Structure formats: structure tokens, C-alpha cells
Amino acid sequence: MQESRHLGSPTDGTPDRNTDDPFRRYAARFGRDIGGVPDSLRQSESAPTAAASPGIARGLGLPAAAVEGPASFFADFTVPHGTRHVRVCTAAACFAATGGAHLAAVEAALGVQAGSRSWDGSVSLQEVHCLGYCYTGPAALDGGDARAGPDLADQLRGTAPPRAPSIPVASSSRIPVVSAGVLGESRPWSVWPETAASTVPGDVLAQVEAAQLRGRGGAGFHTAAKWRAALEHPGPRVVVANGDEGDPGSYADRLLMEQDPHRVLEGLALACFAVGAANGVVFVRSEYPRAAARLREAAAEARSAGYLGPDAAGSGTGLDIQVAVGAGSYVSGEETALLNGLEGLRGVVRPRPPFPTAHGLHGRPTVVNNVETLCAVPWIVQHGGAAYAGLGTADESGTVLTCLSERFLRPGAYEVEIGTPVRRIVEDLGGGLRDGRTLRALQIGGPLGGFLGSDDLDIPLSEAALSRLGAALGHAGIVAFDDRLTGGQVLQNLWEFAAEESCGQCSPCRVGTWRGRALAGVPEDRRQPEDQRQPEYRRQPDEALSSRERSEVLRTMAAGSLCAFGRRVPAAVRSLARVYGLAGWQA
């Protein structure tokens, strides 16, 4: 197998063959032609690939485990697929828009229940957690076509015109940085050619270090420190742009990948230059089909223009960037789980050390940077690190794209400086809530971020300030919950997300999320056959259970989970309980 095929999808800029079939798309990433594998082996009523994985493995000439692992893990493979496959969002922003009522409406419109397909195989329905249309939810993907709005069920039924509004975007920063290209204030590829021709890698690294740029994917790690860590290990090195934006409420990466894909590639090229990497990968979640298509088109255009290729921008060195598409997993946004997915493994978290900067993709030193983080790099290189450090606060520099959900009067993506008061974002930029509703809670930074109440709005949007209230900046998405929903309903939605999206690699998170789901009062899904129902420890508890057990679940997850997913869920639950005054969840 050629090494380039390990790193991403085909490099000619064309979409993969049969992109409507996730298993074909996944296999094509590794140069595996499954055209000889009968469709009957890949289709079954219960699961399109997992149940047939031994036959698929034989057809591919692979060990059964090589197919069984990803086939039984990724959501795109484990759910039934009909001729028409619809993915409907039930994550926080869409849940806040309808109280969850849109799922039943969509099921009625399509005549099929979520997680199944119709008797004749003509239509199937899958629940997913975020499609990046949080500003206009509820939303669904009908095949690869987005549908969104309060009449979602009618759109899918065909009795209302389909619509999927573009993302409203504006900048409230003194100077637009990552939104400059989207707003037409900066041209793509205006920095890379000169940098490649007239500077050395250390110059780029020095400017990013002076900027004090932190990762915008959630962890907030210093970008330059990660780059330096990779440089401590011999090459060849790889840089991965993490576009697996799964936090419900955030659509900043989708905005950048769809509307300014060349800037994503330029930021990735500069990062590759800084760490001496000849290969870059943009990893895009499967729920963003348009983003993947736009990036492939942009990569082909960049090669034709000479920005990429064997003599990239006249630098005398080769640089290739490929686009890879995920298969449905929130935890695959965690950098080590992402690398597993790129290697064709289950998208579970790896123990650390070793860290990816020492032993990453196929054993190479690997830098994984979020898409929004990389989009700031061209501006920093052009204007200087000191200029970027002058934005934001003394301790947390720069800007962030904060995304406001559908419940706001003016939802959309706003670039703001770190430290901007949350009240200004909510009331001045977002215009408060629509329909005259009363704000009850804000979820900031996704499900692993935390919750603020209406009395908390005067704090700055910064990691330091939010952490004092048990929240976190995360991806900076903001989902508003109004007074139509109770704290118990919001809590159940949070625990359902956690239970469904835990990768299951460690028992504190695997067991804890399902136990928390039960303790929150989420009913057992009686539509499931008896042999598919959850084990006893996952089921609904009786009313006699005390708050002590809830506290034990939270403490065990926080202390024993392998990655930030399991460790952060308890903090999010506690912050929600603080805002809503929910007994038994705050200890």
C-alpha cells in the first residue's frame, strides 16, 4: 500500500467514488477497492456493515478484526441505511429549539423510526448530535442535502420548500482575524508564497509563539509549544487540521471550511512549513459533506496554482495536503481518537504518553491543530505575533468565533476578542432571545463546557473567568435555553449525549455515562428488541436512590476517565445543576 494512501482521501480533488456509501468512502481512504464485495454483505436490516464484517474482511483480504473494529464503532456504519438516508440532529441547539418534538415529527413524516429503515429499504433515519446548523435548527441531512427550520418535517415530507440558510457572520473584534477572508477583507494565499520563498521555518514559529496563540478546539493548549514538541523528534512529521467539529452549538469550523477553504489550507501549509512536515491532512466530519467537497476543490486549485505540490510555492520542497472524512463519532475530535480513525482503527482515545507530537499518525511525530486555530496563522505571520497578542486579554490573547444558537434573535457566528463580556455577546450581538422568551441558561463551549445562568452574564468570555463558575471556553459556541424547558429536560439531553458519544475505551466513562443517564431519569427505549436493550446497570433507577450515588458517578468519571470527555462531563453536569438548582447533582 502506498504511503500517501494512509494519509487521506484521493489527492486529485475529486470526491471519492460512491460517497453516499460510508464504508466505500472509508475503505477508499486506505486504497482498498471493495467493488468486489457484494452489496448483500454490506447491507442488513440491523446494521449495514457490522453484521457483515467477516464477509467484508474476506473480500478485502484483511483480518476480520481490521473490519470489525471500525464497522462496529462508527455511527455511519452501525445504523441501517436505506436508499434515502436521513440524519436528524437531536443535540443541544436543535433540542432547545423544539424541546425535542421535531424528532417525532420527522419520524411521522418519513414513516420510519430513528435507528431503523423502512420495510422496503427505501428510507432510513439516524439520530446525530449536531450538523452545524445550530443557528437555524432543527436540522437534518437528507442524503448530502441540508434541511433546516421549524418546518423541518414538512421539508422532508416534500410539502414545504427545502431550505438551509447560510451562516450569518460578523466581526466585533477591533480587527477581523479568522473571519477576514469570509468578510472579504483578506485574500487567500496572500502569505504563504512569500513566506515559503523568503523566510525560514523558525520565523513562522517565532511569530506564533509571540502571538501566544492557543488552540481553539477546546483544550486551549499553546500552539507554539505543540509545534516545538514535534520538532524535538526526528521526521518525517505530519500536521493534521482537525475539522471534526462535533460540539453541539458550534459551527465555526464549518463556516471556515465551506466559505474560506483556501485559508484553512494556507494555515495548514504554514504549520507544515514551521515543523518541517511534507504532508498535511484535513480531517472533516462526515456530517459536513459540503465542507469536505469545498476543501477538495480548494486543494485541487492550490495544486494547479503551484501552492502545493513537489515544489510548493517555489520553495524547493514538496508539500501535499489531503482531505479525509470521518464516519460519525464525537470523540473522534479528540486528537488521539482522530489519529486512530485516520489509521483505520476504532476511533477510541489512546493512553498518553506517548503524545502525538512524539508518536502520532503511523508512528510519526504529529501535530493536530483545530481548523480555527490554523486560520489565525496567516494573519499572525502577515501582521506579526505582537499584533495578535495585543487583542484579547493580557493572559489570553486573540479572538474567537463564538456561535449563537437559533433561540437568539440574531443567531450567527461573531468574531470577538477574548474577554468580551458575555452580556455584550448575548444582548448586543445576539439581540437577546426571540419570541420574547426568558433566558434560563446558556451552554457555553459545547457539552463539555458548562452552563451559565441569567445572573452570570457580566463575566468575560475567557477560560479563566468561565472556570470560576465551573464552565469552560471550549469551542465558544453558545446555546440558549429559554423558559419552555426545565432543568431536568436539559439534564437528560446532556446525559443522553454523553452516553451515546462515549467511545467506551475506559470503564469510568463507559459505565458512568450510562449510569448518569439512568440517574437523570431518561427512560429505557422500549422500542428496542429485548436482546438489544442496555444492561441492568444502565437502566432507569428506582426513586429511592440517593444523591450519594449521583455524586459517586461524577467523582469516578472526573478522576478515572482516560480523556477530557469523561473528565469534563461531571463539571458540565454540576454547572447545569447550579444554574437550575437541581438537587443531588452539585456535590
Side-chain angles (χ1 to χ4, degrees):
M1 189 182 300
Q2 295 179 1
E3 184 65 26
S4 63
R5 287 178 175 172
H6 285 279
L7 296 175
S9 299
T11 60
D12 60 1
T14 59
D16 293 343
R17 180 169 60 89
N18 294 317
T19 54
D20 59 330
D21 184 324
F23 196 78
R24 287 187 187 276
R25 186 186 67 229
Y26 195 75
R29 186 192 304 166
F30 310 101
R32 293 288 184 176
D33 183 5
I34 64 171
V37 179
D39 287 345
S40 60
L41 284 179
R42 295 183 296 102
Q43 298 293 329
S44 69
E45 184 63 33
S46 60
T49 56
S53 57
I56 296 170
R58 286 192 296 272
L60 293 175
L62 293 173
V67 175
E68 177 67 24
S72 61
F73 178 84
F74 291 104
D76 288 0
F77 304 152
T78 59
V79 298
H81 280 244
T83 305
R84 178 190 183 192
H85 186 62
V86 177
R87 288 175 280 184
V88 60
C89 177
T90 57
C94 289
F95 175 75
T98 71
H102 65 283
L103 176 59
V106 167
E107 289 178 323
L110 297 178
V112 62
Q113 291 185 330
S116 64
R117 64 179 174 183
S118 60
W119 64 272
D120 60 356
S122 61
V123 63
S124 53
L125 181 62
Q126 174 186 356
E127 285 186 68
V128 296
H129 296 122
C130 202
L131 295 170
Y133 285 84
C134 317
Y135 56 95
T136 185
L141 277 179
D142 190 353
D145 299 321
R147 305 285 183 258
D151 60 347
L152 175 63
D154 291 332
Q155 292 182 50
L156 295 171
R157 187 185 288 112
T159 56
R163 68 185 190 93
S166 60
I167 300 172
V169 58
S171 175
S172 180
S173 170
R174 282 172 285 173
I175 306 172
V177 177
V178 295
S179 65
V182 178
L183 297 174
E185 298 189 19
S186 177
R187 293 182 299 104
W189 299 112
S190 58
V191 178
W192 167 238
E194 182 179 350
T195 300
S198 62
T199 65
V200 296
D203 294 339
V204 174
L205 178 55
Q207 291 298 339
V208 171
E209 194 164 46
Q212 302 174 44
L213 176 65
R214 291 175 179 261
R216 295 293 184 235
F221 194 77
H222 280 285
T223 303
K226 184 178 286 189
W227 292 4
R228 287 197 182 278
L231 286 168
E232 293 175 358
H233 303 278
R237 303 182 189 90
V238 183
V239 181
V240 178
N242 186 349
D244 193 38
E245 177 183 53
D247 280 341
S250 180
Y251 42 90
D253 291 349
R254 184 171 81 81
L255 168 72
L256 295 168
M257 291 187 290
E258 290 184 1
Q259 297 190 31
D260 202 7
H262 283 285
R263 187 167 305 277
V264 177
L265 300 181
E266 185 175 24
L268 178 53
L270 289 165
C272 287
F273 180 72
V275 302
N279 291 100
V281 181
V282 186
F283 187 87
V284 188
R285 57 200 304 255
S286 68
E287 294 88 346
Y288 286 179
R290 186 167 182 267
R294 291 287 290 118
L295 284 162
R296 288 195 178 104
E297 292 169 3
E301 292 165 0
R303 292 186 194 98
S304 297
Y307 299 131
L308 303 176
D311 183 22
S315 64
T317 60
L319 175 59
D320 186 35
I321 292 178
Q322 302 173 41
V323 179
V325 179
S329 167
Y330 173 82
V331 173
S332 285
E334 194 276 339
E335 61 180 9
T336 63
L338 182 154
L339 297 177
N340 272 348
L342 278 172
E343 293 181 1
L345 306 173
R346 291 167 60 89
V348 296
V349 176
R350 299 177 180 178
R352 289 175 289 186
F355 293 92
T357 50
H359 189 90
L361 187 62
H362 303 296
R364 299 178 177 183
T366 303
V367 170
V368 181
N369 286 140
N370 162 259
V371 160
E372 184 180 341
T373 308
L374 291 172
C375 283
V377 174
W379 192 96
I380 290 169
V381 173
Q382 183 175 29
H383 297 276
Y388 186 86
L391 303 173
T393 70
D395 297 323
E396 299 177 47
S397 66
T399 68
V400 65
L401 278 172
T402 184
C403 299
L404 303 187
S405 69
E406 175 273 346
R407 286 289 82 198
F408 288 95
L409 182 62
R410 293 189 292 271
Y414 297 88
E415 184 170 9
V416 300
E417 295 182 36
I418 299 293
T420 300
V422 173
R423 186 177 300 279
R424 167 163 166 69
I425 297 169
V426 169
E427 297 180 356
D428 296 345
L429 301 181
L433 299 197
R434 64 171 66 237
D435 304 326
R437 306 305 308 195
T438 299
L439 175 65
R440 191 65 185 85
L442 296 175
Q443 184 184 61
I444 293 189
L448 308 187
F451 289 79
L452 302 180
S454 57
D455 296 332
D456 302 325
L457 303 187
D458 292 316
I459 69 167
L461 186 72
S462 70
E463 183 64 38
L466 291 168
S467 65
R468 289 194 288 270
L469 292 178
L473 179 63
H475 216 310
I478 301 181
V479 177
F481 294 90
D482 60 32
D483 52 349
R484 296 172 305 158
L485 296 176
T486 67
Q489 290 173 301
V490 179
L491 178 69
Q492 288 184 354
N493 181 260
L494 175 60
W495 274 116
E496 283 191 278
F497 173 89
E500 292 296 331
E501 294 295 350
S502 171
C503 77
Q505 177 74 339
C506 63
S507 56
C509 183
R510 181 179 65 251
V511 178
T513 53
W514 280 96
R515 192 57 187 150
R517 180 182 185 273
L519 289 165
V522 178
E524 175 76 10
D525 189 350
R526 298 303 177 186
R527 295 179 301 187
Q528 290 180 311
E530 182 65 35
D531 61 356
Q532 295 182 23
R533 292 181 187 169
Q534 303 302 335
E536 194 66 38
Y537 69 81
R538 294 179 175 179
R539 294 186 180 175
Q540 173 77 9
D542 60 46
E543 295 299 324
L545 288 170
S546 68
S547 62
R548 179 179 178 181
E549 185 173 0
R550 298 185 179 97
S551 298
E552 288 175 350
V553 167
L554 297 180
R555 284 197 297 269
T556 300
M557 287 183 64
S561 294
L562 189 60
C563 78
F565 182 90
R567 294 195 298 267
R568 277 297 310 174
V569 167
V573 169
R574 291 188 181 103
S575 69
L576 187 155
R578 179 188 68 83
V579 169
Y580 282 99
L582 300 179
W585 290 102
Q586 298 185 48

